[in-house]
DNA sequence: TCTGGGGTCCTAGGACCC
DNA sequence: TCTGGGGTCCTAGGACCC
C-alpha cells in the first residue's frame, strides 16, 4: 500500500470538529432534566430533525414522523426546534475552537475544520492534547460533547471524527491510514454519494482502502475530477484547504417548494412567482442584486428541466423579473405532464454597492423607476417583516398563499400587489 | 424513508472565433 | 467555398453536501 507522502509524522494536520446530535444536545444542556433521556427535536415540522443519543439507542432516526415516535416510544421528549438558540451555541463553540486554533473554517452550524499546522510548537501541546483541550473547554463551557478527528487532510479528518462518537477523539497519522480505510465502505467517504459509490462497486471498489489503493491512472480514467481529489486526500495529500473566512456573500439564492403533482399552469406560475418573491426578499435582505435567474421544474419522475435568463440589469425586484419568468416558463412547460416542484435560483449576485459603483463609472443615473422600485420594495419588506412573510404578495402568487390561508385571512387586490389582511 | 430545502462545484455539448 | 483543428465561453443538467 504505497503512501508516498507524509508517513513520517505530521508535517501538516487538519482537525475536524463535529458536535454530537447537536440540536438535541443543546436542549439537554439548557434543560438538565432532559439529560439521559431520549429527546427529539422537530415537533413543528412533524418529522424528526435531531435525536439525542438516548433516542438513537432506542432506534429513533432522523426523518421519522413525530406521530410514529410518540406511538412507539411514548417516553420520548419531543421539542420544537429553536434555531436562534442553536446558532448562539454554535457561535460560542466556534469561539472556543478559535481561541485555541485561530485558523477555523465554519463548515455548518455544527461542524468546523481547523488548520493545526505549526500549533504544536506554539502551544507546547501534542495534537492529541490540543484535541482534548478543545473537547474539555466546550464541555465545561457549553455542556455539550463533540467528536474530533485529526489527520493529514480534510477527508481523513472527517473519517477520524466519524470513527468514534459521541465524545470521540481520533488521530490518524500517515502510517495508520490504511487501518482506518480497510473496513470503511467507500460510500461513507466524504464526497462519495450514491452515484459514485455505485460506479465504484461496478469497478470492484468496495472499501475506502480499495479506492485509495487504486492507481492514479485508473482513477483518472474512470472517475470525474472530484473523485481524483478525494483519492489524493485519502492518500494524505491536501487538496482542500481550510478556508477561514466566514461566508457572508452568496453566489446564488434559490427557493423551491414541492406540491402535489399538477399540470395546472396557473398554479405552477403562482409557485414560480411566490418563490421568486421569497428569493428576491432574501437577496434584498443581504443587499444583493441578481444578474441572472434560473427557473427549474421537476416532473413526477424527478426529472429536472431548467432555463437560465439573463437580466438586462441587476435586480432583486419581482415586478421587473416576473414577466421574463413567465416567458421562460412557456418554454419549459410541457403540456400533459404533471409537475411536483418549480423553483428559481438568483445567480451572478452582486452587492448593491457594486451596482452603484458601476452606475457611477458609466455615468448613468439610476432611473426614477429604479428608485421607485427600491422604495416600494423597502416598504413591502418592512410590512412583511413585521406582519409575516405572506402579508404582501404579488397577485400572481395568490393561489399559493390561498393553499395555506392565514387564519381569518382575507385578501384585497391592488394593481400588482395583493394584501392579505388578518 | 424513494425523495425536503438550500447551497456549491463539475461536466458535456454547442456556439463562436481564430 | 470547404475542411480541419483548437481554444474559450455559455448553458443545462448532475452529483454531492448539511
Amino acid at each position: 500500500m504505497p503512501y508516498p507522502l507524509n508517513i513520517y509524522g505530521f508535517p501538516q494536520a487538519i482537525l475536524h470538529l463535529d458536535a454530537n446530535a447537536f440540536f438535541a444536545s443543546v436542549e439537554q444542556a439548557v434543560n438538565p432534566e432532559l439529560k439521559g433521556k431520549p429527546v427529539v427535536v422537530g415537533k413543528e415540522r412533524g418529522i424528526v430533525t435531531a435525536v439525542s443519543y438516548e433516542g438513537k439507542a432506542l432506534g429513533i432516526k432522523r426523518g421519522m414522523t413525530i406521530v410514529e415516535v410518540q406511538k412507539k416510544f411514548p417516553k420520548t421528549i419531543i421539542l420544537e426546534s429553536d434555531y436562534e438558540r442553536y446558532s448562539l451555541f454554535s457561535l460560542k463553540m466556534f469561539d472556543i475552537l478559535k481561541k485555541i486554533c485561530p485558523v477555523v473554517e465554519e463548515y455548518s452550524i455544527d461542524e468546523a475544520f481547523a488548520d493545526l499546522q505549526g500549533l504544536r510548537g506554539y502551544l507546547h501541546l501534542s495534537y492529541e492534547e490540543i484535541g482534548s483541550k478543545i473537547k474539555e473547554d466546550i464541555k465545561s463551557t457549553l455542556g455539550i460533547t463533540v467528536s474530533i478527528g485529526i489527520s493529514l487532510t480534510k477527508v481523513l479528518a472527517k473519517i477520524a471524527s466519524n470513527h468514534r462518537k459521541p465524545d470521540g477523539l481520533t488521530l490518524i497519522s500517515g502510517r495508520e491510514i490504511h487501518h482506518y480505510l480497510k473496513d470503511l465502505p467507500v460510500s461513507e467517504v466524504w464526497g462519495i454519494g450514491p452515484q459514485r459509490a455505485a460506479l465504484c462497486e461496478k469497478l470492484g471498489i468496495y472499501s475506502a482502502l480499495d479506492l485509495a489503493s487504486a492507481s492514479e491512472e485508473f482513477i483518472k480514467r474512470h472517475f470525474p475530477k472530484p473523485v481524483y481529489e478525494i483519492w489524493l486526500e485519502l492518500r494524505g495529500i491536501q487538496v482542500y484547504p481550510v478556508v477561514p473566512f466566514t461566508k457572508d456573500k452568496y453566489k446564488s439564492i434559490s427557493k423551491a417548494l414541492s406540491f402535489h403533482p399538477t399540470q395546472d399552469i396557473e398554479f405552477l406560475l403562482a409557485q414560480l412567482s411566490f418563490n421568486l418573491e421569497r428569493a428576491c426578499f432574501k437577496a434584498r435582505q443581504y443587499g444583493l442584486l441578481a444578474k441572472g435567474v434560473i427557473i427549474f421544474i421537476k416532473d413526477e419522475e424527478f426529472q429536472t428541466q431548467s432555463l437560465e435568463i439573463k437580466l438586462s440589469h441587476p435586480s432583486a425586484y419581482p415586478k421587473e423579473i416576473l414577466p421574463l419568468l413567465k416567458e421562460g416558463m412557456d418554454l419549459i412547460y410541457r403540456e400533459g405532464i404533471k409537475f411536483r416542484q418549480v423553483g428559481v435560483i438568483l445567480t451572478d449576485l452582486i452587492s448593491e454597492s457594486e451596482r452603484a459603483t458601476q452606475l457611477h463609472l458609466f455615468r448613468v443615473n439610476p432611473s426614477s423607476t429604479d428608485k421607485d422600485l427600491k422604495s416600494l420594495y423597502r416598504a413591502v419588506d418592512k410590512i412583511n417583516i413585521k406582519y409575516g412573510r405572506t402579508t404582501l404578495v404579488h397577485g400572481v402568487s395568490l393561489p399559493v398563499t390561498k393553499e395555506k390561508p392565514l387564519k381569518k385571512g382575507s385578501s384585497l387586490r391592488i394593481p400588482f400587489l395583493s394584501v392579505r389582511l388578518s
mmCIF file of all heavy atoms in Angstrom, chain C residues 2-18:
data_model
loop_
_atom_site.group_PDB
_atom_site.id
_atom_site.type_symbol
_atom_site.label_atom_id
_atom_site.label_comp_id
_atom_site.label_asym_id
_atom_site.label_seq_id
_atom_site.Cartn_x
_atom_site.Cartn_y
_atom_site.Cartn_z
ATOM 1 P P DC C 2 -19.543 25.782 -49.335
ATOM 2 O OP1 DC C 2 -20.733 25.111 -49.862
ATOM 3 O OP2 DC C 2 -19.661 26.728 -48.210
ATOM 4 O "O5'" DC C 2 -18.470 24.679 -48.958
ATOM 5 C "C5'" DC C 2 -17.736 24.026 -50.000
ATOM 6 C "C4'" DC C 2 -16.599 23.252 -49.372
ATOM 7 O "O4'" DC C 2 -15.470 24.132 -49.203
ATOM 8 C "C3'" DC C 2 -16.918 22.685 -47.989
ATOM 9 O "O3'" DC C 2 -16.610 21.299 -47.939
ATOM 10 C "C2'" DC C 2 -16.061 23.493 -47.030
ATOM 11 C "C1'" DC C 2 -14.900 23.911 -47.929
ATOM 12 N N1 DC C 2 -14.262 25.181 -47.486
ATOM 13 C C2 DC C 2 -12.875 25.230 -47.365
ATOM 14 O O2 DC C 2 -12.199 24.236 -47.641
ATOM 15 N N3 DC C 2 -12.285 26.387 -46.948
ATOM 16 C C4 DC C 2 -13.048 27.444 -46.662
ATOM 17 N N4 DC C 2 -12.428 28.558 -46.262
ATOM 18 C C5 DC C 2 -14.467 27.417 -46.780
ATOM 19 C C6 DC C 2 -15.027 26.275 -47.200
ATOM 20 P P DT C 3 -16.946 20.478 -46.589
ATOM 21 O OP1 DT C 3 -17.435 19.167 -47.012
ATOM 22 O OP2 DT C 3 -17.745 21.334 -45.678
ATOM 23 O "O5'" DT C 3 -15.505 20.306 -45.950
ATOM 24 C "C5'" DT C 3 -14.404 19.897 -46.763
ATOM 25 C "C4'" DT C 3 -13.195 19.804 -45.874
ATOM 26 O "O4'" DT C 3 -12.619 21.123 -45.710
ATOM 27 C "C3'" DT C 3 -13.503 19.276 -44.476
ATOM 28 O "O3'" DT C 3 -12.631 18.222 -44.141
ATOM 29 C "C2'" DT C 3 -13.321 20.479 -43.557
ATOM 30 C "C1'" DT C 3 -12.344 21.347 -44.339
ATOM 31 N N1 DT C 3 -12.499 22.808 -44.074
ATOM 32 C C2 DT C 3 -11.372 23.563 -43.857
ATOM 33 O O2 DT C 3 -10.257 23.108 -43.893
ATOM 34 N N3 DT C 3 -11.615 24.888 -43.618
ATOM 35 C C4 DT C 3 -12.843 25.529 -43.574
ATOM 36 O O4 DT C 3 -12.929 26.729 -43.347
ATOM 37 C C5 DT C 3 -13.980 24.672 -43.797
ATOM 38 C C7 DT C 3 -15.358 25.255 -43.763
ATOM 39 C C6 DT C 3 -13.769 23.358 -44.033
ATOM 40 P P DG C 4 -12.920 17.354 -42.809
ATOM 41 O OP1 DG C 4 -12.620 15.951 -43.130
ATOM 42 O OP2 DG C 4 -14.221 17.752 -42.247
ATOM 43 O "O5'" DG C 4 -11.789 17.911 -41.853
ATOM 44 C "C5'" DG C 4 -10.522 18.303 -42.396
ATOM 45 C "C4'" DG C 4 -9.716 18.940 -41.285
ATOM 46 O "O4'" DG C 4 -9.812 20.391 -41.392
ATOM 47 C "C3'" DG C 4 -10.197 18.593 -39.873
ATOM 48 O "O3'" DG C 4 -9.094 18.127 -39.123
ATOM 49 C "C2'" DG C 4 -10.762 19.887 -39.333
ATOM 50 C "C1'" DG C 4 -9.930 20.920 -40.088
ATOM 51 N N9 DG C 4 -10.559 22.229 -40.172
ATOM 52 C C8 DG C 4 -11.844 22.527 -40.548
ATOM 53 N N7 DG C 4 -12.111 23.805 -40.518
ATOM 54 C C5 DG C 4 -10.919 24.389 -40.095
ATOM 55 C C6 DG C 4 -10.580 25.746 -39.869
ATOM 56 O O6 DG C 4 -11.305 26.732 -40.011
ATOM 57 N N1 DG C 4 -9.267 25.897 -39.447
ATOM 58 C C2 DG C 4 -8.388 24.865 -39.269
ATOM 59 N N2 DG C 4 -7.173 25.199 -38.849
ATOM 60 N N3 DG C 4 -8.684 23.588 -39.465
ATOM 61 C C4 DG C 4 -9.958 23.432 -39.878
ATOM 62 P P DG C 5 -9.280 17.403 -37.730
ATOM 63 O OP1 DG C 5 -8.675 16.070 -37.825
ATOM 64 O OP2 DG C 5 -10.679 17.563 -37.309
ATOM 65 O "O5'" DG C 5 -8.376 18.300 -36.795
ATOM 66 C "C5'" DG C 5 -7.244 19.005 -37.342
ATOM 67 C "C4'" DG C 5 -6.846 20.088 -36.372
ATOM 68 O "O4'" DG C 5 -7.533 21.318 -36.732
ATOM 69 C "C3'" DG C 5 -7.221 19.793 -34.919
ATOM 70 O "O3'" DG C 5 -6.096 20.036 -34.085
ATOM 71 C "C2'" DG C 5 -8.372 20.729 -34.621
ATOM 72 C "C1'" DG C 5 -8.103 21.895 -35.567
ATOM 73 N N9 DG C 5 -9.308 22.605 -35.964
ATOM 74 C C8 DG C 5 -10.476 22.082 -36.458
ATOM 75 N N7 DG C 5 -11.376 22.989 -36.729
ATOM 76 C C5 DG C 5 -10.765 24.188 -36.401
ATOM 77 C C6 DG C 5 -11.242 25.523 -36.480
ATOM 78 O O6 DG C 5 -12.342 25.912 -36.866
ATOM 79 N N1 DG C 5 -10.294 26.437 -36.036
ATOM 80 C C2 DG C 5 -9.046 26.118 -35.592
ATOM 81 N N2 DG C 5 -8.271 27.139 -35.209
ATOM 82 N N3 DG C 5 -8.568 24.874 -35.508
ATOM 83 C C4 DG C 5 -9.486 23.966 -35.925
ATOM 84 P P DG C 6 -6.161 19.641 -32.564
ATOM 85 O OP1 DG C 6 -4.833 19.151 -32.189
ATOM 86 O OP2 DG C 6 -7.370 18.824 -32.331
ATOM 87 O "O5'" DG C 6 -6.381 21.054 -31.886
ATOM 88 C "C5'" DG C 6 -5.549 22.165 -32.237
ATOM 89 C "C4'" DG C 6 -6.024 23.385 -31.480
ATOM 90 O "O4'" DG C 6 -7.165 23.956 -32.174
ATOM 91 C "C3'" DG C 6 -6.504 23.067 -30.052
ATOM 92 O "O3'" DG C 6 -6.036 24.060 -29.170
ATOM 93 C "C2'" DG C 6 -8.012 23.093 -30.166
ATOM 94 C "C1'" DG C 6 -8.208 24.151 -31.236
ATOM 95 N N9 DG C 6 -9.485 24.054 -31.927
ATOM 96 C C8 DG C 6 -10.123 22.922 -32.377
ATOM 97 N N7 DG C 6 -11.271 23.164 -32.959
ATOM 98 C C5 DG C 6 -11.387 24.545 -32.895
ATOM 99 C C6 DG C 6 -12.423 25.404 -33.360
ATOM 100 O O6 DG C 6 -13.465 25.093 -33.939
ATOM 101 N N1 DG C 6 -12.143 26.734 -33.077
ATOM 102 C C2 DG C 6 -11.016 27.193 -32.434
ATOM 103 N N2 DG C 6 -10.924 28.507 -32.255
ATOM 104 N N3 DG C 6 -10.041 26.406 -31.994
ATOM 105 C C4 DG C 6 -10.299 25.104 -32.264
ATOM 106 P P DG C 7 -5.982 23.735 -27.624
ATOM 107 O OP1 DG C 7 -4.575 23.695 -27.204
ATOM 108 O OP2 DG C 7 -6.881 22.601 -27.335
ATOM 109 O "O5'" DG C 7 -6.638 25.037 -27.024
ATOM 110 C "C5'" DG C 7 -6.051 26.310 -27.274
ATOM 111 C "C4'" DG C 7 -7.129 27.368 -27.195
ATOM 112 O "O4'" DG C 7 -8.107 27.120 -28.234
ATOM 113 C "C3'" DG C 7 -7.889 27.338 -25.874
ATOM 114 O "O3'" DG C 7 -7.597 28.522 -25.133
ATOM 115 C "C2'" DG C 7 -9.363 27.283 -26.245
ATOM 116 C "C1'" DG C 7 -9.385 27.488 -27.753
ATOM 117 N N9 DG C 7 -10.373 26.645 -28.409
ATOM 118 C C8 DG C 7 -10.319 25.290 -28.614
ATOM 119 N N7 DG C 7 -11.375 24.820 -29.237
ATOM 120 C C5 DG C 7 -12.171 25.953 -29.449
ATOM 121 C C6 DG C 7 -13.438 26.072 -30.077
ATOM 122 O O6 DG C 7 -14.123 25.184 -30.586
ATOM 123 N N1 DG C 7 -13.879 27.386 -30.075
ATOM 124 C C2 DG C 7 -13.196 28.450 -29.535
ATOM 125 N N2 DG C 7 -13.779 29.637 -29.630
ATOM 126 N N3 DG C 7 -12.010 28.350 -28.961
ATOM 127 C C4 DG C 7 -11.565 27.076 -28.948
ATOM 128 P P DT C 8 -8.169 28.643 -23.659
ATOM 129 O OP1 DT C 8 -7.279 29.554 -22.937
ATOM 130 O OP2 DT C 8 -8.480 27.294 -23.131
ATOM 131 O "O5'" DT C 8 -9.561 29.384 -23.913
ATOM 132 C "C5'" DT C 8 -9.586 30.602 -24.649
ATOM 133 C "C4'" DT C 8 -11.019 31.107 -24.657
ATOM 134 O "O4'" DT C 8 -11.817 30.280 -25.556
ATOM 135 C "C3'" DT C 8 -11.703 31.022 -23.287
ATOM 136 O "O3'" DT C 8 -12.415 32.212 -23.042
ATOM 137 C "C2'" DT C 8 -12.623 29.827 -23.404
ATOM 138 C "C1'" DT C 8 -12.987 29.865 -24.882
ATOM 139 N N1 DT C 8 -13.409 28.553 -25.454
ATOM 140 C C2 DT C 8 -14.544 28.515 -26.225
ATOM 141 O O2 DT C 8 -15.214 29.482 -26.465
ATOM 142 N N3 DT C 8 -14.863 27.269 -26.717
ATOM 143 C C4 DT C 8 -14.167 26.091 -26.516
ATOM 144 O O4 DT C 8 -14.556 25.042 -27.008
ATOM 145 C C5 DT C 8 -12.989 26.203 -25.693
ATOM 146 C C7 DT C 8 -12.172 24.981 -25.405
ATOM 147 C C6 DT C 8 -12.662 27.418 -25.209
ATOM 148 P P DC C 9 -12.901 32.537 -21.576
ATOM 149 O OP1 DC C 9 -12.217 33.773 -21.161
ATOM 150 O OP2 DC C 9 -12.819 31.318 -20.740
ATOM 151 O "O5'" DC C 9 -14.434 32.860 -21.815
ATOM 152 C "C5'" DC C 9 -14.898 33.309 -23.102
ATOM 153 C "C4'" DC C 9 -16.344 32.903 -23.253
ATOM 154 O "O4'" DC C 9 -16.414 31.590 -23.881
ATOM 155 C "C3'" DC C 9 -17.115 32.791 -21.945
ATOM 156 O "O3'" DC C 9 -18.323 33.519 -22.039
ATOM 157 C "C2'" DC C 9 -17.358 31.298 -21.768
ATOM 158 C "C1'" DC C 9 -17.386 30.809 -23.212
ATOM 159 N N1 DC C 9 -17.019 29.380 -23.363
ATOM 160 C C2 DC C 9 -17.817 28.561 -24.173
ATOM 161 O O2 DC C 9 -18.796 29.069 -24.752
ATOM 162 N N3 DC C 9 -17.489 27.265 -24.322
ATOM 163 C C4 DC C 9 -16.416 26.761 -23.689
ATOM 164 N N4 DC C 9 -16.141 25.474 -23.862
ATOM 165 C C5 DC C 9 -15.594 27.578 -22.851
ATOM 166 C C6 DC C 9 -15.930 28.871 -22.715
ATOM 167 P P DC C 10 -19.246 33.729 -20.787
ATOM 168 O OP1 DC C 10 -19.660 35.130 -20.781
ATOM 169 O OP2 DC C 10 -18.595 33.132 -19.596
ATOM 170 O "O5'" DC C 10 -20.487 32.840 -21.170
ATOM 171 C "C5'" DC C 10 -21.084 32.992 -22.463
ATOM 172 C "C4'" DC C 10 -22.061 31.860 -22.678
ATOM 173 O "O4'" DC C 10 -21.325 30.621 -22.833
ATOM 174 C "C3'" DC C 10 -23.012 31.651 -21.496
ATOM 175 O "O3'" DC C 10 -24.339 31.762 -21.965
ATOM 176 C "C2'" DC C 10 -22.688 30.248 -20.967
ATOM 177 C "C1'" DC C 10 -22.015 29.588 -22.162
ATOM 178 N N1 DC C 10 -21.016 28.552 -21.816
ATOM 179 C C2 DC C 10 -21.207 27.258 -22.313
ATOM 180 O O2 DC C 10 -22.195 27.006 -23.010
ATOM 181 N N3 DC C 10 -20.276 26.302 -22.026
ATOM 182 C C4 DC C 10 -19.218 26.608 -21.276
ATOM 183 N N4 DC C 10 -18.327 25.637 -21.025
ATOM 184 C C5 DC C 10 -19.007 27.923 -20.760
ATOM 185 C C6 DC C 10 -19.926 28.858 -21.056
ATOM 186 P P DT C 11 -25.521 31.761 -20.956
ATOM 187 O OP1 DT C 11 -26.540 32.654 -21.540
ATOM 188 O OP2 DT C 11 -24.988 32.005 -19.612
ATOM 189 O "O5'" DT C 11 -26.056 30.280 -21.015
ATOM 190 C "C5'" DT C 11 -26.362 29.699 -22.274
ATOM 191 C "C4'" DT C 11 -26.733 28.258 -22.062
ATOM 192 O "O4'" DT C 11 -25.535 27.482 -21.801
ATOM 193 C "C3'" DT C 11 -27.668 28.028 -20.876
ATOM 194 O "O3'" DT C 11 -28.786 27.304 -21.322
ATOM 195 C "C2'" DT C 11 -26.837 27.232 -19.869
ATOM 196 C "C1'" DT C 11 -25.799 26.570 -20.761
ATOM 197 N N1 DT C 11 -24.491 26.280 -20.129
ATOM 198 C C2 DT C 11 -23.936 25.031 -20.323
ATOM 199 O O2 DT C 11 -24.472 24.157 -20.971
ATOM 200 N N3 DT C 11 -22.721 24.846 -19.729
ATOM 201 C C4 DT C 11 -22.016 25.769 -18.974
ATOM 202 O O4 DT C 11 -20.924 25.483 -18.488
ATOM 203 C C5 DT C 11 -22.650 27.045 -18.801
ATOM 204 C C7 DT C 11 -21.977 28.111 -17.995
ATOM 205 C C6 DT C 11 -23.849 27.243 -19.386
ATOM 206 P P DA C 12 -30.060 27.143 -20.479
ATOM 207 O OP1 DA C 12 -31.197 27.469 -21.353
ATOM 208 O OP2 DA C 12 -29.876 27.849 -19.203
ATOM 209 O "O5'" DA C 12 -30.097 25.582 -20.189
ATOM 210 C "C5'" DA C 12 -30.017 24.684 -21.292
ATOM 211 C "C4'" DA C 12 -29.739 23.291 -20.763
ATOM 212 O "O4'" DA C 12 -28.398 23.235 -20.236
ATOM 213 C "C3'" DA C 12 -30.668 22.848 -19.634
ATOM 214 O "O3'" DA C 12 -31.133 21.540 -19.940
ATOM 215 C "C2'" DA C 12 -29.801 22.892 -18.373
ATOM 216 C "C1'" DA C 12 -28.401 22.672 -18.935
ATOM 217 N N9 DA C 12 -27.321 23.336 -18.198
ATOM 218 C C8 DA C 12 -27.336 24.591 -17.643
ATOM 219 N N7 DA C 12 -26.209 24.925 -17.053
ATOM 220 C C5 DA C 12 -25.390 23.815 -17.242
ATOM 221 C C6 DA C 12 -24.063 23.536 -16.859
ATOM 222 N N6 DA C 12 -23.299 24.387 -16.175
ATOM 223 N N1 DA C 12 -23.562 22.336 -17.210
ATOM 224 C C2 DA C 12 -24.322 21.483 -17.888
ATOM 225 N N3 DA C 12 -25.587 21.633 -18.314
ATOM 226 C C4 DA C 12 -26.064 22.830 -17.947
ATOM 227 P P DG C 13 -32.093 20.774 -18.974
ATOM 228 O OP1 DG C 13 -32.934 19.929 -19.838
ATOM 229 O OP2 DG C 13 -32.701 21.734 -18.047
ATOM 230 O "O5'" DG C 13 -31.129 19.821 -18.160
ATOM 231 C "C5'" DG C 13 -30.232 18.984 -18.871
ATOM 232 C "C4'" DG C 13 -29.275 18.350 -17.909
ATOM 233 O "O4'" DG C 13 -28.336 19.343 -17.427
ATOM 234 C "C3'" DG C 13 -29.936 17.747 -16.663
ATOM 235 O "O3'" DG C 13 -29.457 16.435 -16.516
ATOM 236 C "C2'" DG C 13 -29.470 18.656 -15.527
ATOM 237 C "C1'" DG C 13 -28.109 19.089 -16.051
ATOM 238 N N9 DG C 13 -27.549 20.286 -15.449
ATOM 239 C C8 DG C 13 -28.166 21.487 -15.213
ATOM 240 N N7 DG C 13 -27.379 22.366 -14.643
ATOM 241 C C5 DG C 13 -26.167 21.702 -14.492
ATOM 242 C C6 DG C 13 -24.941 22.128 -13.949
ATOM 243 O O6 DG C 13 -24.660 23.234 -13.460
ATOM 244 N N1 DG C 13 -23.973 21.132 -13.999
ATOM 245 C C2 DG C 13 -24.167 19.881 -14.523
ATOM 246 N N2 DG C 13 -23.125 19.038 -14.489
ATOM 247 N N3 DG C 13 -25.312 19.464 -15.040
ATOM 248 C C4 DG C 13 -26.259 20.420 -14.994
ATOM 249 P P DG C 14 -30.233 15.347 -15.683
ATOM 250 O OP1 DG C 14 -30.664 14.317 -16.601
ATOM 251 O OP2 DG C 14 -31.195 16.025 -14.775
ATOM 252 O "O5'" DG C 14 -29.067 14.765 -14.784
ATOM 253 C "C5'" DG C 14 -28.101 15.672 -14.359
ATOM 254 C "C4'" DG C 14 -26.818 14.959 -14.114
ATOM 255 O "O4'" DG C 14 -25.868 15.994 -13.850
ATOM 256 C "C3'" DG C 14 -26.889 14.107 -12.863
ATOM 257 O "O3'" DG C 14 -25.862 13.134 -12.881
ATOM 258 C "C2'" DG C 14 -26.679 15.143 -11.771
ATOM 259 C "C1'" DG C 14 -25.735 16.151 -12.432
ATOM 260 N N9 DG C 14 -26.073 17.543 -12.078
ATOM 261 C C8 DG C 14 -27.263 18.208 -12.230
ATOM 262 N N7 DG C 14 -27.228 19.431 -11.780
ATOM 263 C C5 DG C 14 -25.927 19.582 -11.305
ATOM 264 C C6 DG C 14 -25.279 20.685 -10.699
ATOM 265 O O6 DG C 14 -25.751 21.805 -10.457
ATOM 266 N N1 DG C 14 -23.961 20.399 -10.372
ATOM 267 C C2 DG C 14 -23.338 19.203 -10.606
ATOM 268 N N2 DG C 14 -22.069 19.102 -10.230
ATOM 269 N N3 DG C 14 -23.918 18.156 -11.174
ATOM 270 C C4 DG C 14 -25.207 18.425 -11.495
ATOM 271 P P DA C 15 -25.993 11.948 -11.801
ATOM 272 O OP1 DA C 15 -25.315 10.793 -12.397
ATOM 273 O OP2 DA C 15 -27.379 11.880 -11.317
ATOM 274 O "O5'" DA C 15 -25.119 12.481 -10.579
ATOM 275 C "C5'" DA C 15 -23.719 12.662 -10.736
ATOM 276 C "C4'" DA C 15 -23.167 13.237 -9.466
ATOM 277 O "O4'" DA C 15 -23.487 14.651 -9.422
ATOM 278 C "C3'" DA C 15 -23.775 12.599 -8.198
ATOM 279 O "O3'" DA C 15 -22.751 11.965 -7.447
ATOM 280 C "C2'" DA C 15 -24.413 13.765 -7.453
ATOM 281 C "C1'" DA C 15 -23.775 14.998 -8.082
ATOM 282 N N9 DA C 15 -24.680 16.142 -8.090
ATOM 283 C C8 DA C 15 -25.972 16.178 -8.500
ATOM 284 N N7 DA C 15 -26.538 17.352 -8.371
ATOM 285 C C5 DA C 15 -25.541 18.154 -7.832
ATOM 286 C C6 DA C 15 -25.494 19.499 -7.456
ATOM 287 N N6 DA C 15 -26.545 20.326 -7.555
ATOM 288 N N1 DA C 15 -24.334 19.974 -6.945
ATOM 289 C C2 DA C 15 -23.306 19.129 -6.837
ATOM 290 N N3 DA C 15 -23.208 17.853 -7.157
ATOM 291 C C4 DA C 15 -24.392 17.413 -7.655
ATOM 292 P P DC C 16 -23.057 11.221 -6.078
ATOM 293 O OP1 DC C 16 -22.071 10.148 -5.979
ATOM 294 O OP2 DC C 16 -24.505 10.926 -6.006
ATOM 295 O "O5'" DC C 16 -22.734 12.328 -4.998
ATOM 296 C "C5'" DC C 16 -21.469 12.974 -5.001
ATOM 297 C "C4'" DC C 16 -21.511 14.156 -4.084
ATOM 298 O "O4'" DC C 16 -22.351 15.176 -4.674
ATOM 299 C "C3'" DC C 16 -22.153 13.856 -2.737
ATOM 300 O "O3'" DC C 16 -21.148 13.647 -1.760
ATOM 301 C "C2'" DC C 16 -22.950 15.112 -2.404
ATOM 302 C "C1'" DC C 16 -22.841 15.988 -3.634
ATOM 303 N N1 DC C 16 -24.165 16.514 -4.018
ATOM 304 C C2 DC C 16 -24.397 17.896 -3.857
ATOM 305 O O2 DC C 16 -23.491 18.604 -3.417
ATOM 306 N N3 DC C 16 -25.613 18.383 -4.180
ATOM 307 C C4 DC C 16 -26.557 17.581 -4.651
ATOM 308 N N4 DC C 16 -27.732 18.129 -4.950
ATOM 309 C C5 DC C 16 -26.337 16.192 -4.817
ATOM 310 C C6 DC C 16 -25.135 15.699 -4.506
ATOM 311 P P DC C 17 -21.596 13.254 -0.258
ATOM 312 O OP1 DC C 17 -20.434 12.606 0.356
ATOM 313 O OP2 DC C 17 -22.898 12.568 -0.303
ATOM 314 O "O5'" DC C 17 -21.832 14.665 0.438
ATOM 315 C "C5'" DC C 17 -20.756 15.580 0.540
ATOM 316 C "C4'" DC C 17 -21.259 16.858 1.182
ATOM 317 O "O4'" DC C 17 -22.130 17.540 0.243
ATOM 318 C "C3'" DC C 17 -22.132 16.601 2.405
ATOM 319 O "O3'" DC C 17 -21.346 16.650 3.565
ATOM 320 C "C2'" DC C 17 -23.104 17.771 2.387
ATOM 321 C "C1'" DC C 17 -23.127 18.241 0.965
ATOM 322 N N1 DC C 17 -24.429 18.010 0.309
ATOM 323 C C2 DC C 17 -25.326 19.075 0.212
ATOM 324 O O2 DC C 17 -24.995 20.163 0.687
ATOM 325 N N3 DC C 17 -26.517 18.885 -0.376
ATOM 326 C C4 DC C 17 -26.839 17.688 -0.865
ATOM 327 N N4 DC C 17 -28.024 17.557 -1.452
ATOM 328 C C5 DC C 17 -25.948 16.581 -0.784
ATOM 329 C C6 DC C 17 -24.761 16.776 -0.189
ATOM 330 P P DC C 18 -21.989 16.215 4.950
ATOM 331 O OP1 DC C 18 -20.857 16.038 5.864
ATOM 332 O OP2 DC C 18 -22.931 15.093 4.708
ATOM 333 O "O5'" DC C 18 -22.861 17.446 5.421
ATOM 334 C "C5'" DC C 18 -22.251 18.707 5.691
ATOM 335 C "C4'" DC C 18 -23.337 19.662 6.086
ATOM 336 O "O4'" DC C 18 -24.304 19.746 5.003
ATOM 337 C "C3'" DC C 18 -24.107 19.226 7.330
ATOM 338 O "O3'" DC C 18 -24.191 20.302 8.243
ATOM 339 C "C2'" DC C 18 -25.484 18.822 6.833
ATOM 340 C "C1'" DC C 18 -25.618 19.576 5.523
ATOM 341 N N1 DC C 18 -26.419 18.842 4.504
ATOM 342 C C2 DC C 18 -27.515 19.489 3.928
ATOM 343 O O2 DC C 18 -27.775 20.652 4.267
ATOM 344 N N3 DC C 18 -28.267 18.829 3.012
ATOM 345 C C4 DC C 18 -27.928 17.583 2.662
ATOM 346 N N4 DC C 18 -28.693 16.984 1.743
ATOM 347 C C5 DC C 18 -26.830 16.911 3.236
ATOM 348 C C6 DC C 18 -26.102 17.559 4.156
#
